Amino acid sequence: MGVSAAIITCNEEANIKRCLESITWVDEIIIVDSGSTDRTLEIARQYTDKIYHQDWLGFAEQRNVSLTKVTGDWILIIDADEEVTPALRNAILHMTQAATNHAAFTITRKNIFMGKVLNSYVEKKLRLFKGGILTFHGQVHEAAIFNGSTGHLSGGTLIHHQYTDLEAQLAKMNTYSTLAARERYAANKKYGVLALLVRPLLDFLKRYILKGGFRDGMPGFISAVLRAFYTFSRFAKLYELHKKS
């Protein structure tokens, strides 16, 4: 079988249709849902009958559950708030039908924030890989474990529709910073006042100056400030965890 797409969901009715419309060309769509109470599953059933329920296990384990369901020779990992462009679709189909020595590929992802594509926030994400070679680990921004070489898929981009509004972004940042702090606490990592002072500032300067966030106008400035605040939050929460222990 050709390409399988694997998606984990929970209350994504605002995003899921756009995502699924962009991957109707794949051979199989797998959705693992952790208990949506909105119209996510109703919408998803219009595109696939391969929908499974799994109580939330964490990002990595939830992804791993989805990988047990796929049957494709190649697996495309995509989030509900992402969209595959036509150019990326063509690049994926061309690559998967050609001979390659790589086991996995990174894909360029661009982020839309406050209605603007941020040129200062372009990433390479490992999202395409051969079936049966990979597992995920980690609580936040899960990492992939596999044997084999990695290439970069040139041509086309993955579009990330980050958040519906600032309130939604702040809520997700709060969740992610808590998970990141717990993960570091479990690894017995400690940071002092210097980290709280310097690391957020460095993250702001990296996003706003080095990566050109100033060229993205007010959305670029706000994005850089929020990145710094996220860094501060996870270090502050880690300090709090150690203080309570």
Side-chain angles (χ1 to χ4, degrees):
M1 194 172 180
V3 181
S4 296
I7 311 170
I8 59 175
T9 59
C10 185
N11 292 336
E12 291 284 359
E13 70 174 2
N15 295 306
I16 192 65
K17 183 176 178 66
R18 177 181 58 228
C19 172
L20 293 173
E21 279 289 336
S22 77
I23 56 170
T24 55
W25 49 272
V26 302
D27 300 287
E28 175 184 61
I29 297 174
I30 300 294
I31 293 178
V32 174
D33 186 81
S34 55
S36 291
T37 56
D38 61 4
R39 296 182 58 246
T40 296
L41 298 183
E42 175 188 339
I43 296 169
R45 290 188 188 100
Q46 300 173 27
Y47 296 86
T48 180
D49 60 355
K50 295 183 177 182
I51 300 173
Y52 305 90
H53 173 82
Q54 173 61 59
D55 290 342
W56 184 249
L57 300 172
F59 288 103
E61 289 306 315
Q62 208 75 2
R63 296 261 194 228
N64 289 336
V65 170
S66 73
L67 295 183
T68 67
K69 309 297 184 182
V70 297
T71 61
D73 298 320
W74 285 90
I75 314 301
L76 173 66
I77 291 290
I78 183 170
D79 289 337
D81 60 357
E82 294 174 337
E83 176 184 8
V84 173
T85 61
L88 178 56
R89 173 199 63 202
N90 294 338
I92 292 173
L93 289 174
H94 180 267
M95 190 284 304
T96 56
Q97 293 166 8
T100 178
N101 293 323
H102 294 306
F105 286 85
T106 57
I107 294 173
T108 299
R109 184 173 80 165
K110 294 185 176 181
N111 293 271
I112 294 179
F113 178 69
M114 301 183 80
K116 180 179 177 61
V117 176
L118 297 181
N119 293 315
S120 57
Y121 192 11
V122 179
E123 309 163 283
K124 289 184 178 179
K125 293 288 188 179
L126 187 71
R127 291 301 185 83
L128 185 68
F129 50 90
K130 291 180 179 178
I133 69 163
L134 180 149
T135 58
F136 289 99
H137 73 98
Q139 289 297 312
V140 186
H141 306 304
E142 61 277 11
I145 302 175
F146 67 99
N147 293 319
S149 62
T150 302
H152 179 68
L153 194 66
S154 58
T157 55
L158 191 64
I159 303 298
H160 184 205
H161 300 265
Q162 275 189 288
Y163 305 99
T164 54
D165 51 37
L166 283 175
E167 183 176 2
Q169 176 162 4
L170 289 169
K172 184 164 284 191
M173 284 172 56
N174 185 47
T175 299
Y176 275 40
S177 60
T178 297
L179 292 172
R182 289 173 179 170
E183 189 172 48
R184 285 165 172 77
Y185 177 77
N188 199 33
K189 292 185 178 181
K190 297 180 180 180
Y191 299 94
V193 174
L194 187 61
L196 283 166
L197 286 171
V198 175
R199 291 290 292 272
L201 177 60
L202 290 178
D203 275 359
F204 171 81
L205 293 175
K206 181 180 179 180
R207 177 73 60 85
Y208 194 64
I209 303 298
L210 295 181
K211 292 191 173 183
F214 60 90
R215 297 191 184 97
D216 289 326
M218 185 61 77
F221 175 73
I222 294 173
S223 175
V225 170
L226 289 175
R227 175 62 193 180
F229 178 69
Y230 167 76
T231 301
F232 177 84
S233 296
R234 59 191 173 94
F235 284 129
K237 289 177 180 180
L238 177 60
Y239 170 79
E240 182 181 50
L241 287 172
H242 282 293
K243 192 77 171 175
K244 290 180 177 179
S245 63

